[in-house]
Amino acid sequence: GWQYRKGPAYYLATVYFRDTQDGVTDVVRSLGGGVLLTTRDNLAKSRSGGLELVANGRLTPKLTYNASANAFWNEIDAASLGFAGKRSGTTLSGRANLNYQATPKDFFQANIFSSGKRLTPQGHREPFKMLNLGYRRKVNDKLSFVATAQDVLDWFQDVVVTDTPTLRDNTRRTANVRSVFVGFTYAFGGGKPRPEQFDFSAGGPS
């Protein structure tokens, strides 16, 4: 690993190799008549290696960013599940926040993340991405008004491709997860409150 820190700037690079056994994975089986059953089974073993990058810094006095990315190679062995041969591939995933402190009381954030193609014992999951927005208005040291918007560009979808000698299937799941949450947060107790981050998966601040 390598790390650099100076003032608000922080950079981290990590090269890694992981060897995993008895992980858990989804397995799809056909019950006939177009009915598919998805169960959870133990994957014999998998290996992965790659490069993780993290960068935090300040672009202007009011504009900051923090980002991370992971480029890696992955190999899985599902022989114990009845699927012959090892399968491998490369992918890239990442996330980034752009933060704007417009005034001492007004804070904006744009959040984007992307998950790359992921191998499964019988095929793969397609990449997906999402863009979220957040706004916080500080009323006083304990009370804040918060608004968040999730998946504002309607990008969300989950595509699972199954491609084996006995079963071929393409399952596409879409959902209208676009939503706006509005509320207030209040900090109890003494001491200086910690800076809030937006938890877009839950629709509000953490």
Side-chain angles (χ1 to χ4, degrees):
W2 171 85
Q3 178 178 285
Y4 173 84
R5 187 189 298 270
K6 183 177 181 181
Y10 173 73
Y11 305 104
L12 175 68
T14 305
V15 178
Y16 67 89
F17 176 80
R18 300 186 180 114
D19 192 352
T20 306
Q21 296 188 15
D22 298 326
V24 179
T25 187
D26 289 336
V27 176
V28 181
R29 296 180 175 87
S30 175
L31 301 182
V35 179
L36 301 179
L37 174 66
T38 301
T39 60
R40 304 284 280 173
D41 284 307
N42 283 108
L43 182 66
K45 60 182 179 179
S46 65
R47 298 189 301 167
S48 62
L51 174 66
E52 291 181 331
L53 300 173
V54 177
N56 300 330
R58 184 178 299 278
L59 299 174
T60 71
K62 293 184 177 182
L63 195 63
T64 62
Y65 69 90
N66 50 287
S68 62
N70 184 14
F72 65 96
W73 162 86
N74 181 224
E75 179 188 78
I76 61 176
D77 182 357
S80 63
L81 301 179
F83 306 113
K86 297 179 181 179
R87 305 182 62 246
S88 64
T90 58
T91 190
L92 173 66
S93 298
R95 63 175 55 242
N97 292 330
L98 187 63
N99 312 303
Y100 179 51
Q101 190 73 55
T103 72
K105 292 186 176 182
D106 296 291
F107 175 75
F108 296 85
Q109 183 181 88
N111 163 267
I112 186 170
F113 72 87
S114 174
S115 178
K117 182 178 177 181
R118 293 152 290 165
L119 288 179
T120 67
Q122 298 164 282
H124 66 272
R125 286 181 178 268
E126 292 286 349
F128 70 91
K129 58 185 180 294
M130 188 178 293
L131 173 66
N132 308 303
L133 302 175
Y135 167 69
R136 184 177 71 246
R137 169 72 179 183
K138 181 179 177 182
V139 179
N140 54 47
D141 287 341
K142 291 185 175 294
L143 182 66
S144 296
F145 167 78
V146 176
T148 61
Q150 181 174 288
D151 192 24
V152 295
L153 297 181
D154 196 22
W155 283 342
F156 176 78
Q157 64 176 350
D158 181 29
V159 180
V160 181
V161 177
T162 302
D163 188 2
T164 71
T166 59
L167 177 63
R168 291 187 177 183
D169 178 70
N170 189 310
T171 300
R172 183 181 303 269
R173 300 181 180 93
T174 60
N176 185 11
V177 299
R178 285 187 297 174
S179 53
V180 175
F181 296 86
V182 178
F184 290 87
T185 63
Y186 186 83
F188 293 91
K192 184 178 180 181
R194 64 181 177 86
E196 288 185 280
Q197 296 296 319
F198 298 104
D199 181 8
F200 295 105
S201 62
S206 60

